[in-house]
């Protein structure tokens, strides 16, 4: 051994120390392996991808983390392609987004751009992508059907389905709604607003007010700004709100100030769209503190799959390291769709082993089909074609619970399997949403039912009931003054009916009677314009209550009590003095009719006799030997034929002159004379 050590010392000029030599050898081998690894990576084809995100928003942070994880996982397993992500961070300015897209295309030579949180950003970036022939994958919530940008791919479902779900919740319960949304940097409204208005119109509801707030980042004092905007709504009666679009900080300020002004709770009803409700998974506890009773919809996705659980662990670790200031490390739907967008690109890369270009990428993307973290991924007309199922949630006690599900094919159901595969389990009668939440929704306070979505009367502001001071019947309404007091007693049939209605309503209805001495038209106008405005739930509830009173006999009993005379009243002296219609009541009319008819009959007979006399006047002149009886019979026949409209003589014109009548008589006389001469001639011949 000593000889060997001397040999090493002689040959290499060093003293052999095994403990030092082994680590040196290991480092040498690792360097060789590392260089070999670099050479292999250098041989892989690199595809540049551009990312445009809002680094100040929670959504942007989630999207970046998710895309980093997706790229890391792909590069780790790929032997042919590598992905390189080039981010351009901005604060939600659409113009800056367009500038960033040009920079990524010209300087980083990206073949695709992913990101954009809002539709205004998407529109400008898509225009830049069209000019450069670079596909753009938008992560903005809610896809809008458009043919303006053929290279645009929207990683979202048709937003009209989401609006139909919101309308189905509002249907038949809240006719007048207030829509709340946060404007973009240039005062633009969400692109989904017209679709919401159309969906509400189909179910009989409409938007009465647009509650638009400026972007959160542009406000120096957001709390004061929102507080002043809400104060303007104090005089408005509709209390059904739809939060269409808002960032996480703006949503927090909105509900904090709304609760201070009693816009949250009691009879108010709030609905969150998917773009807002999806923030719940990423929000901290302060976000829920002012939202008890709020209802929202969220895109349904599985949180129990192996793929999701692996991603969740990676996301939690990376997000916590990079954004330690955040309290919640759970990914939302925005993170899942960002991850799926990278997965769609990698799926296209796996199919195409040749040189990758933007044109070939777009063709591969549109034909991609797989099951991602956010659900089924397949595209049609540049957007996801798979119909989403929305989970209906109710925020209560610093968290949210699931009320049920809604799908475009089957409507509301309490089972996910029914919403996805089976038939609708609702009866189809009434409002399916009310059947869904019956006994399960958790409104704030002591309310045991779905809020009315309307400013309801209270003890401080009761419902004013106008009572006519000059009513024609005291049985209907009667006002009795109290001596030495400004108060009055209101009674009568109408008052009793209204009290019975209040008794059977499902909620308290504080009211106060006020004497009204104006015209009836003014009274009705005040009721229609102030008490029962269009969309007021009180009118519908009172109508239903009156129907119940009719069905259970209460209304009939009140009619017998107040509107039917008693037996004593019918037998009283008052009844004896009441005139009753009888035969004697019309004796004057009968007498007048008889006298008029008699005079007309006599005039008619006189005219007929006159006509008879003129027709037979010639017979009397020449000494007709007819007996009285024959003349009487002839007169009777004449009268009869005149009555039946067939007189013996042809009728003459009403304009016949006396000269014409004389000519007719002369003609008859000549005919008679000729007959007599002819008769005498025959007699002479015989002799």
């Amino acid at each position: 051994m000593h000889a060997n050590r001397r040999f090493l010392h002689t040959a290499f000029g060093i003293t052999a120390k095994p403990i030092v030599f082994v680590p040196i050898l290991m480092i040498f081998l690792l360097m060789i392996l590392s260089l070999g690894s670099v050479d292999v990576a250098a041989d892989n084809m690199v595809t540049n991808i551009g990312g445009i995100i809002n680094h100040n928003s929670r959504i942007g942070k989630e999207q970046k983390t998710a895309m980093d994880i997706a790229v890391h996982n792909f590069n780790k397993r790929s032997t042919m392609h590598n992905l390189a992500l080039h981010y351009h961070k901005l604060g939600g300015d659409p113009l800056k987004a367009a500038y960033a897209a040009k920079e990524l295309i010209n300087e980083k030579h990206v073949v695709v751009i992913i990101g954009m949180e809002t539709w205004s950003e998407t529109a400008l970036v898509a225009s830049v992508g069209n000019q450069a022939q670079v596909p753009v994958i938008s992560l903005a919530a809610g896809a809008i059907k458009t043919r303006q940008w053929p290279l645009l791919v929207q990683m979202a479902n048709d937003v009209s389905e989401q609006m139909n779900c919101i309308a189905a919740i509002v249907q038949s319960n809240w006719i007048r709604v207030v829509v709340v949304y946060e404007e973009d940097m240039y005062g633009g409204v969400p692109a989904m607003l017209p679709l919401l208005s159309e969906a509400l119109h189909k179910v009989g509801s409409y938007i009465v007010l647009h509650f638009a707030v400026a972007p959160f980042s542009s406000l120096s004092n957001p709390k004061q700004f929102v507080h002043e905007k809400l104060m303007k709504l104090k005089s408005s009666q509709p209390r059904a709100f739809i939060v269409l679009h808002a960032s996480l900080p703006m949503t927090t300020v909105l509900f904090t100030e709304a609760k201070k002004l009693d816009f949250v709770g009691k009879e108010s009803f709030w609905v969150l769209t998917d773009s807002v409700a999806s923030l719940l998974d990423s929000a901290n506890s302060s976000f829920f503190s002012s939202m008890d009773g709020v209802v929202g919809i969220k895109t349904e996705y599985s949180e129990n799959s192996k793929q999701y659980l692996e991603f969740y662990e990676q996301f939690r670790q990376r997000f916590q390291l990079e954004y330690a200031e955040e309290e919640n490390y759970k990914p939302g739907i925005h993170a899942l769709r960002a991850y799926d967008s990278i997965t769609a690109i990698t799926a296209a890369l796996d199919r195409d082993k040749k040189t990758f270009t933007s044109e070939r990428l777009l063709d591969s993307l549109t034909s991609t089909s797989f099951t991602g973290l956010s659900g089924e991924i397949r595209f049609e007309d540049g957007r996801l074609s798979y119909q989403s199922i929305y989970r209906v949630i109710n925020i209560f006690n610093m968290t949210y619970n699931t009320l049920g599900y809604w799908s475009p094919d089957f409507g509301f159901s309490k089972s996910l399997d029914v919403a996805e595969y089976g038939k609708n389990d609702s009866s189809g009668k009434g409002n399916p949403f009310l059947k869904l939440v019956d006994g399960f929704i958790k409104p704030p306070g002591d309310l045991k039912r779905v809020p009315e979505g309307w400013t309801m009367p209270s003890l401080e502001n009761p419902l004013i009931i106008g009572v006519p001071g000059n009513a024609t019947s005291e049985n209907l309404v009667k006002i009795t003054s109290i001596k030495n007091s400004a108060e009055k007693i209101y009674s009568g049939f109408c008052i009793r009916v209204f009290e019975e209605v209040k008794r059977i309503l499902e909620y308290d209805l504080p009211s106060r009677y006020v004497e009204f001495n104006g015209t009836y038209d003014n009274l009705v106008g005040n009721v229609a314009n102030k008490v029962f405005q269009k969309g007021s739930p009180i009118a519908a509830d009172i109508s239903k209550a009156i129907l119940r009173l009719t069905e259970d006999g209460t209304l009939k009993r009140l009619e017998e009590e107040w509107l039917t005379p008693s037996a004593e009243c019918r037998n009283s002296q008052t009844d004896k003095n009441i005139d009753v219609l009888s035969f004697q009541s019309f004796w004057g009319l009968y007498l007048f009719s008889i006298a008029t008819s008699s005079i007309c009959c006599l005039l008619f007979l006189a005219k007929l006799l006159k006509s008879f006399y003129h027709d037979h006047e010639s017979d009397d002149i020449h000494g007709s030997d007819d007996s009285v009886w024959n003349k009487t019979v002839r007169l009777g026949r004449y009268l009869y034929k005149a009555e039946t409209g067939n007189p013996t003589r042809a009728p003459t014109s009403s304009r016949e002159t006396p000269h014409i009548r004389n000519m007719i008589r002369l003609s008859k006389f000549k005919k008679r004379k000729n007959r007599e001469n002819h008769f005498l001639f025959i007699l002479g011949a015989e002799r």
Side-chain angles (χ1 to χ4, degrees):
M1 181 178 295
H2 294 289
N4 293 335
R5 288 179 179 177
R6 284 194 299 271
F7 173 76
L8 292 171
H9 177 74
T10 302
F12 298 99
I14 60 173
T15 301
K17 295 182 179 180
I19 299 177
V20 176
F21 180 75
V22 172
I24 293 175
L25 182 62
M26 292 179 65
I27 292 173
F28 179 73
L29 293 174
L30 288 174
M31 290 177 62
I32 295 175
L33 293 174
S34 175
L35 290 174
S37 174
V38 171
D39 292 338
V40 172
D43 292 337
N44 288 352
M45 183 173 58
V46 178
T47 300
N48 295 317
I49 299 176
I52 298 178
I53 63 170
N54 184 357
H55 67 286
N56 295 324
S57 70
R58 169 70 189 221
I59 294 177
K61 295 175 182 178
E62 289 190 16
Q63 290 173 345
K64 180 181 182 301
T65 303
M67 288 191 289
D68 287 341
I69 294 173
V71 169
H72 172 77
N73 292 344
F74 177 77
N75 290 341
K76 185 177 179 181
R77 64 176 175 80
S78 176
T79 59
M80 296 294 295
H81 286 91
N82 273 355
L83 298 180
L85 265 173
H86 303 278
Y87 288 109
H88 206 300
K89 301 178 182 179
L90 46 93
D93 190 335
L95 292 180
K96 291 182 179 180
Y99 175 80
K102 291 183 179 180
E103 189 176 272
L104 289 170
I105 294 172
N106 297 330
E107 298 181 7
K108 302 299 180 181
H109 306 291
V110 299
V111 297
V112 62
I113 297 177
I114 305 175
M116 289 73 69
E117 191 174 318
T118 64
W119 180 252
S120 55
E121 295 173 355
T122 298
L124 292 180
V125 173
S127 298
V128 174
N130 269 10
Q131 295 175 0
Q133 291 298 296
V134 174
V136 174
I137 301 179
S138 170
L139 301 179
I144 307 297
K145 187 175 182 180
T146 176
R147 300 183 182 276
Q148 186 175 355
W149 303 289
L151 297 181
L152 174 63
V153 178
Q154 303 178 73
M155 186 62 68
N157 297 91
D158 187 357
V159 72
S160 61
E161 296 178 0
Q162 183 184 161
M163 298 301 100
N164 290 336
C165 180
I166 295 294
I169 293 176
V170 174
Q171 181 180 5
S172 302
N173 302 298
W174 303 280
I175 299 177
R176 305 173 69 183
V177 299
V178 179
V179 61
V180 182
Y181 55 87
E182 183 178 359
E183 297 174 334
D184 61 22
M185 296 293 294
Y186 303 99
V189 301
M192 63 186 76
L193 182 58
L195 297 176
L196 174 63
S197 178
E198 180 182 357
L200 292 173
H201 179 72
K202 291 179 180 178
V203 299
S205 301
Y206 61 96
I207 300 172
V208 295
L209 182 64
H210 293 252
F211 187 87
V213 294
F216 185 85
S217 58
S218 66
L219 299 175
S220 58
N221 191 342
K223 290 185 178 181
Q224 181 180 356
F225 175 82
V226 174
H227 182 87
E228 292 176 356
K229 292 277 290 186
L230 288 172
M231 284 297 295
K232 297 178 181 179
L233 293 180
K234 293 293 288 185
S235 59
S236 176
Q237 286 191 311
R239 288 293 186 270
F241 300 90
I242 298 176
V243 184
L244 188 62
H245 170 74
S247 61
L248 182 60
M250 178 57 74
T251 305
T252 303
V253 172
L254 172 66
F255 280 97
T256 301
E257 297 302 315
K259 186 174 183 179
K260 291 179 181 179
L261 297 176
D262 291 332
F263 281 99
V264 179
K266 297 182 180 179
E267 295 296 345
S268 297
F269 183 77
W270 292 78
V271 185
L272 307 179
T273 59
D274 180 51
S275 60
V276 181
S278 60
L279 301 173
L280 298 176
D281 294 324
S282 310
N284 52 39
S285 57
S286 61
F287 185 79
F288 294 93
S289 60
S290 304
M291 301 178 68
D292 275 0
V294 175
V295 172
I297 61 173
K298 292 173 74 273
T299 301
E300 175 61 20
Y301 56 86
S302 175
E303 297 182 0
N304 300 320
S305 65
K306 180 181 178 181
Q307 183 183 10
Y308 176 85
L309 294 176
E310 292 176 354
F311 169 77
Y312 174 77
E313 188 62 28
Q314 290 179 296
F315 182 90
R316 186 183 62 82
Q317 294 177 4
R318 186 181 289 260
F319 195 82
Q320 187 175 5
L321 288 174
E322 192 168 354
Y323 306 104
E325 71 278 5
E326 296 287 341
E327 297 182 15
N328 193 328
Y329 307 126
K330 184 178 179 181
I333 186 65
H334 304 285
L336 304 185
R337 284 180 171 160
Y339 185 94
D340 288 341
S341 65
I342 299 294
T343 304
I345 295 175
T346 59
L349 290 174
D350 288 338
R351 289 195 305 270
D352 198 332
K353 306 299 182 182
K354 301 179 182 180
T355 304
F356 215 74
T357 62
S358 297
E359 293 79 4
R360 297 173 66 175
L361 174 60
L362 181 64
D363 294 337
S364 299
L365 277 175
T366 54
S367 59
T368 297
S369 179
F370 63 94
T371 301
L373 294 176
S374 61
E376 294 293 327
I377 305 298
R378 57 176 180 267
F379 297 97
E380 183 179 346
D381 294 332
R383 55 184 175 177
L384 292 177
S385 60
Y386 179 75
Q387 289 185 338
S388 290
I389 296 176
Y390 293 99
R391 180 191 302 184
V392 185
I393 62 171
N394 177 214
I395 301 176
F396 183 73
N397 196 21
M398 305 295 287
T399 185
Y400 67 84
N401 54 59
T402 300
L403 298 176
Y405 304 89
W406 183 90
S407 65
D409 293 332
F410 305 108
F412 292 105
S413 61
K414 293 186 177 181
S415 170
L416 179 59
D417 292 335
V418 172
E420 189 169 5
Y421 305 109
K423 60 183 180 179
N424 194 350
D425 59 350
S426 65
S427 63
K429 298 179 180 179
N431 189 336
F433 175 70
L434 288 184
K435 293 179 179 292
L436 181 71
V437 305
D438 186 24
F440 194 44
I441 191 171
K442 300 295 183 183
D446 299 328
L447 201 62
K448 304 300 181 184
R449 54 182 170 77
V450 176
E452 296 289 351
W454 195 265
T455 303
M456 301 297 286
S458 60
L459 294 176
E460 297 79 14
N461 187 24
L463 181 67
I464 305 300
I465 308 298
V467 181
N470 52 354
T472 57
S473 174
E474 293 185 349
N475 289 339
L476 294 175
V477 288
K478 181 181 179 181
I479 303 176
T480 304
S481 300
I482 301 178
K483 189 176 182 180
N484 299 328
S485 176
E487 296 183 0
K488 298 180 180 181
I489 299 177
Y490 298 86
S491 60
F493 171 76
C494 297
I495 303 298
R496 285 294 309 276
V497 170
F498 182 71
E499 295 296 332
E500 290 293 330
V501 166
K502 291 173 55 179
R503 181 181 60 82
I504 65 175
L505 285 176
E506 297 179 353
Y507 51 86
D508 292 333
L509 186 63
S511 60
R512 179 167 60 91
Y513 296 109
V514 174
E515 184 176 357
F516 186 84
N517 292 313
T519 65
Y520 181 78
D521 291 340
N522 292 337
L523 176 60
V524 174
N526 287 328
V527 172
N529 298 326
K530 297 181 181 180
V531 181
F532 295 147
Q533 296 183 14
K534 184 177 181 180
S536 171
I538 304 177
D541 293 341
I542 289 180
S543 298
K544 294 176 183 178
I546 293 176
L547 182 60
R548 288 178 55 187
L549 294 177
T550 304
E551 292 174 348
D552 63 16
T554 303
L555 194 62
K556 184 177 180 180
R557 176 177 56 81
L558 293 176
E559 290 177 354
E560 294 176 351
E561 178 182 351
W562 288 93
L563 304 181
T564 303
S566 62
E568 296 179 357
C569 182
R570 287 194 296 267
N571 297 329
S572 64
Q573 183 65 28
T574 305
D575 277 342
K576 295 181 181 179
N577 295 332
I578 296 177
D579 292 334
V580 180
L581 292 178
S582 63
F583 180 80
Q584 297 178 353
S585 303
F586 300 96
W587 69 269
L589 180 62
Y590 292 147
L591 180 61
F592 176 78
S593 300
I594 293 172
T596 304
S597 301
S598 301
I599 294 173
C600 292
C601 183
L602 292 175
L603 292 176
F604 177 71
L605 291 175
K607 183 179 180 180
L608 287 178
L609 291 175
K610 183 179 179 181
S611 299
F612 177 79
Y613 172 77
H614 287 305
D615 291 341
H616 297 81
E617 185 177 6
S618 59
D619 297 339
D620 296 336
I621 292 175
H622 297 285
S624 175
D625 57 352
D626 288 344
S627 63
V628 177
W629 171 253
N630 290 336
K631 290 183 180 180
T632 304
V633 171
R634 191 164 60 248
L635 175 62
R637 288 176 179 175
Y638 182 85
L639 294 177
Y640 173 75
K641 291 180 180 181
E643 183 180 357
T644 57
N646 186 25
T648 56
R649 183 174 61 90
T652 61
S653 172
S654 59
R655 297 181 181 180
E656 187 179 85
T657 61
H659 177 70
I660 295 176
R661 286 197 297 269
N662 293 332
M663 292 293 293
I664 293 173
R665 294 191 186 100
L666 180 60
S667 176
K668 290 181 179 180
F669 175 76
K670 289 181 178 181
K671 289 180 180 179
R672 182 183 296 275
K673 190 66 175 177
N674 290 334
R675 284 197 301 269
E676 291 178 353
N677 293 334
H678 180 69
F679 179 70
L680 294 176
F681 174 77
I682 293 173
L683 291 177
E686 289 178 352
R687 293 175 182 175

Coordinates of all heavy atoms in Angstrom, one line a residue, residues 231-271:
M231 N -76.5 56.5 -2.8 CA -77.4 57.5 -2.2 C -78.5 57.9 -3.2 O -79.6 58.2 -2.8 CB -76.7 58.7 -1.6 CG -75.9 58.4 -0.4 SD -77.1 57.9 1.0 CE -78.0 59.4 1.2
K232 N -78.1 58.0 -4.5 CA -79.1 58.4 -5.5 C -80.2 57.4 -5.7 O -81.2 57.7 -6.4 CB -78.4 58.8 -6.8 CG -77.4 59.9 -6.7 CD -76.6 60.1 -8.0 CE -75.6 61.2 -7.9 NZ -74.9 61.5 -9.1
L233 N -79.9 56.2 -5.3 CA -80.9 55.1 -5.5 C -81.9 55.0 -4.3 O -82.8 54.2 -4.3 CB -80.2 53.8 -5.6 CG -79.4 53.5 -6.9 CD1 -78.8 52.2 -6.9 CD2 -80.3 53.7 -8.1
K234 N -81.7 55.8 -3.2 CA -82.6 55.7 -2.1 C -84.0 55.9 -2.4 O -84.9 55.3 -1.8 CB -82.1 56.6 -1.0 CG -80.7 56.3 -0.4 CD -80.7 55.1 0.4 CE -81.4 55.2 1.7 NZ -81.3 53.9 2.5
S235 N -84.3 56.8 -3.3 CA -85.7 57.1 -3.7 C -86.3 56.1 -4.7 O -87.5 56.2 -5.0 CB -85.8 58.5 -4.2 OG -85.0 58.6 -5.4
S236 N -85.5 55.2 -5.2 CA -86.0 54.2 -6.2 C -86.5 53.0 -5.5 O -85.9 52.5 -4.5 CB -84.8 53.8 -7.1 OG -85.2 52.9 -8.0
Q237 N -87.6 52.5 -5.9 CA -88.3 51.4 -5.2 C -87.7 50.0 -5.7 O -87.6 49.1 -4.8 CB -89.8 51.4 -5.5 CG -90.5 52.5 -4.6 CD -92.0 52.3 -4.7 OE1 -92.6 52.1 -5.7 NE2 -92.6 52.3 -3.5
P238 N -87.3 49.8 -6.9 CA -86.8 48.5 -7.3 C -85.5 48.1 -6.5 O -84.6 49.0 -6.3 CB -86.4 48.6 -8.8 CG -87.3 49.7 -9.2 CD -87.5 50.7 -8.1
R239 N -85.5 46.9 -5.9 CA -84.4 46.5 -5.1 C -83.9 45.1 -5.6 O -83.3 44.3 -4.8 CB -84.8 46.4 -3.6 CG -85.0 47.7 -2.9 CD -83.7 48.5 -2.8 NE -83.8 49.7 -2.0 CZ -84.1 50.9 -2.5 NH1 -84.3 51.0 -3.8 NH2 -84.2 51.9 -1.8
A240 N -84.0 44.9 -6.9 CA -83.4 43.6 -7.5 C -82.2 44.1 -8.3 O -82.4 44.8 -9.3 CB -84.5 42.9 -8.4
F241 N -81.1 43.6 -8.0 CA -79.8 44.1 -8.6 C -79.1 42.9 -9.3 O -79.1 41.8 -8.8 CB -78.9 44.7 -7.6 CG -79.4 45.9 -6.8 CD1 -80.1 45.7 -5.7 CD2 -79.2 47.1 -7.3 CE1 -80.6 46.8 -5.0 CE2 -79.7 48.2 -6.7 CZ -80.4 48.1 -5.5
I242 N -78.6 43.1 -10.5 CA -77.8 42.2 -11.2 C -76.4 42.8 -11.4 O -76.3 43.8 -12.1 CB -78.4 41.8 -12.6 CG1 -79.8 41.2 -12.4 CG2 -77.5 40.9 -13.4 CD1 -80.5 40.9 -13.7
V243 N -75.4 42.2 -10.8 CA -74.0 42.6 -10.9 C -73.4 41.9 -12.1 O -73.1 40.8 -12.1 CB -73.2 42.3 -9.6 CG1 -71.8 42.9 -9.8 CG2 -73.9 42.9 -8.4
L244 N -73.4 42.7 -13.2 CA -73.0 42.1 -14.5 C -71.5 41.9 -14.6 O -71.0 40.9 -15.1 CB -73.5 43.0 -15.6 CG -73.3 42.5 -17.0 CD1 -74.2 41.2 -17.2 CD2 -73.8 43.6 -18.0
H245 N -70.7 42.9 -14.2 CA -69.3 42.9 -14.3 C -68.7 43.8 -13.3 O -69.1 45.0 -13.2 CB -68.8 43.2 -15.7 CG -67.3 43.4 -15.8 ND1 -66.5 42.3 -15.8 CD2 -66.5 44.5 -16.0 CE1 -65.2 42.7 -15.9 NE2 -65.2 44.0 -16.0
A246 N -67.7 43.3 -12.6 CA -66.9 44.2 -11.6 C -65.7 43.4 -11.2 O -65.7 42.2 -11.1 CB -67.8 44.5 -10.4
S247 N -64.6 44.2 -10.9 CA -63.4 43.6 -10.4 C -63.6 43.2 -9.0 O -64.5 43.6 -8.3 CB -62.3 44.6 -10.6 OG -62.5 45.8 -9.9
L248 N -62.6 42.5 -8.5 CA -62.7 42.0 -7.1 C -62.7 43.2 -6.1 O -63.5 43.2 -5.2 CB -61.5 41.0 -6.8 CG -61.5 40.4 -5.4 CD1 -62.8 39.6 -5.1 CD2 -60.3 39.5 -5.2
P249 N -61.8 44.2 -6.2 CA -61.8 45.3 -5.2 C -63.1 46.1 -5.4 O -63.6 46.6 -4.3 CB -60.5 46.1 -5.6 CG -60.1 45.7 -6.9 CD -60.6 44.2 -7.1
M250 N -63.6 46.3 -6.6 CA -64.8 47.1 -6.7 C -66.0 46.4 -6.2 O -66.9 47.0 -5.5 CB -65.0 47.4 -8.2 CG -66.3 48.2 -8.5 SD -66.4 49.8 -7.6 CE -65.2 50.7 -8.5
T251 N -66.0 45.1 -6.3 CA -67.1 44.3 -5.8 C -67.1 44.4 -4.2 O -68.2 44.5 -3.6 CB -67.0 42.8 -6.2 OG1 -67.0 42.7 -7.6 CG2 -68.2 42.0 -5.7
T252 N -65.9 44.3 -3.7 CA -65.8 44.4 -2.2 C -66.3 45.8 -1.7 O -67.1 45.8 -0.7 CB -64.4 44.2 -1.8 OG1 -63.9 43.0 -2.3 CG2 -64.2 44.3 -0.3
V253 N -65.9 46.9 -2.4 CA -66.4 48.2 -2.0 C -67.9 48.3 -2.2 O -68.6 48.9 -1.4 CB -65.6 49.3 -2.7 CG1 -66.2 50.7 -2.5 CG2 -64.1 49.2 -2.3
L254 N -68.4 47.8 -3.3 CA -69.8 48.0 -3.6 C -70.7 47.4 -2.6 O -71.6 48.0 -2.1 CB -70.1 47.3 -5.0 CG -71.5 47.2 -5.4 CD1 -72.1 48.5 -5.7 CD2 -71.7 46.3 -6.6
F255 N -70.4 46.1 -2.1 CA -71.3 45.5 -1.2 C -71.1 46.0 0.3 O -72.0 46.0 1.1 CB -71.0 44.0 -1.2 CG -71.8 43.3 -2.3 CD1 -71.1 43.0 -3.5 CD2 -73.1 43.0 -2.2 CE1 -71.8 42.4 -4.5 CE2 -73.8 42.4 -3.2 CZ -73.1 42.1 -4.4
T256 N -69.9 46.5 0.5 CA -69.6 47.1 1.9 C -70.5 48.4 2.0 O -71.1 48.6 3.0 CB -68.1 47.4 2.0 OG1 -67.4 46.3 1.9 CG2 -67.9 48.1 3.4
E257 N -70.5 49.2 1.0 CA -71.2 50.5 1.1 C -72.7 50.2 0.9 O -73.6 50.9 1.5 CB -70.8 51.4 0.0 CG -69.3 51.9 0.1 CD -69.1 52.6 1.4 OE1 -69.9 53.4 1.8 OE2 -68.1 52.3 2.1
A258 N -73.1 49.2 0.1 CA -74.5 48.9 0.0 C -75.1 48.4 1.2 O -76.3 48.7 1.6 CB -74.7 47.8 -1.2
K259 N -74.4 47.6 2.0 CA -74.9 47.1 3.3 C -75.1 48.2 4.3 O -76.0 48.3 5.1 CB -74.0 46.0 3.8 CG -74.5 45.4 5.1 CD -73.6 44.2 5.5 CE -74.2 43.5 6.7 NZ -73.4 42.4 7.2
K260 N -74.2 49.2 4.3 CA -74.3 50.4 5.2 C -75.6 51.1 4.9 O -76.2 51.7 5.8 CB -73.1 51.3 5.0 CG -71.8 50.7 5.5 CD -70.6 51.7 5.3 CE -69.3 51.1 5.7 NZ -68.2 52.1 5.5
L261 N -76.0 51.2 3.6 CA -77.2 51.9 3.3 C -78.4 51.1 3.1 O -79.4 51.5 2.6 CB -76.9 52.6 1.9 CG -75.8 53.7 1.9 CD1 -75.6 54.2 0.5 CD2 -76.1 54.8 2.9
D262 N -78.4 49.9 3.7 CA -79.5 48.9 3.7 C -79.9 48.5 2.3 O -81.1 48.2 2.1 CB -80.7 49.5 4.5 CG -80.5 49.7 5.9 OD1 -79.7 48.9 6.5 OD2 -81.0 50.6 6.6
F263 N -79.0 48.4 1.4 CA -79.3 47.9 0.1 C -79.1 46.4 0.0 O -79.5 45.7 -0.9 CB -78.5 48.6 -1.0 CG -79.0 49.9 -1.4 CD1 -78.4 51.1 -0.9 CD2 -80.0 50.0 -2.3 CE1 -78.9 52.3 -1.3 CE2 -80.5 51.3 -2.7 CZ -79.9 52.4 -2.2
V264 N -78.4 45.8 1.0 CA -78.2 44.4 1.1 C -79.0 43.9 2.4 O -78.8 44.5 3.4 CB -76.7 44.0 1.3 CG1 -76.6 42.5 1.4 CG2 -76.0 44.5 0.1
G265 N -79.9 42.9 2.2 CA -80.7 42.5 3.3 C -82.1 42.9 3.1 O -82.5 43.6 2.1
K266 N -82.9 42.5 4.0 CA -84.4 42.8 4.0 C -85.0 42.3 2.7 O -84.9 41.1 2.4 CB -84.6 44.3 4.3 CG -84.1 44.7 5.7 CD -84.4 46.2 5.9 CE -84.0 46.6 7.3 NZ -84.2 48.0 7.6
E267 N -85.6 43.2 2.0 CA -86.3 42.8 0.7 C -85.4 43.0 -0.5 O -85.9 42.8 -1.6 CB -87.5 43.7 0.6 CG -88.6 43.4 1.7 CD -89.1 42.0 1.6 OE1 -88.9 41.3 0.6 OE2 -89.7 41.6 2.6
S268 N -84.1 43.3 -0.4 CA -83.3 43.4 -1.6 C -82.8 42.1 -2.1 O -82.7 41.1 -1.3 CB -82.0 44.3 -1.2 OG -82.4 45.6 -0.8
F269 N -82.6 42.0 -3.4 CA -82.2 40.7 -4.0 C -81.0 41.0 -4.9 O -81.2 41.9 -5.8 CB -83.3 40.1 -4.7 CG -83.0 38.7 -5.3 CD1 -82.9 37.6 -4.5 CD2 -82.7 38.6 -6.7 CE1 -82.5 36.4 -5.1 CE2 -82.4 37.4 -7.2 CZ -82.3 36.3 -6.4
W270 N -79.9 40.3 -4.8 CA -78.7 40.5 -5.6 C -78.4 39.2 -6.3 O -78.4 38.2 -5.7 CB -77.5 41.0 -4.7 CG -77.7 42.3 -4.1 CD1 -78.4 42.7 -3.0 CD2 -77.0 43.5 -4.6 NE1 -78.3 44.0 -2.8 CE2 -77.4 44.6 -3.7 CE3 -76.2 43.8 -5.6 CZ2 -77.0 45.9 -3.9 CZ3 -75.7 45.1 -5.8 CH2 -76.1 46.2 -4.9
V271 N -78.0 39.4 -7.6 CA -77.6 38.2 -8.4 C -76.2 38.6 -9.0 O -76.1 39.6 -9.6 CB -78.6 37.9 -9.5 CG1 -78.2 36.7 -10.3 CG2 -80.0 37.7 -9.0

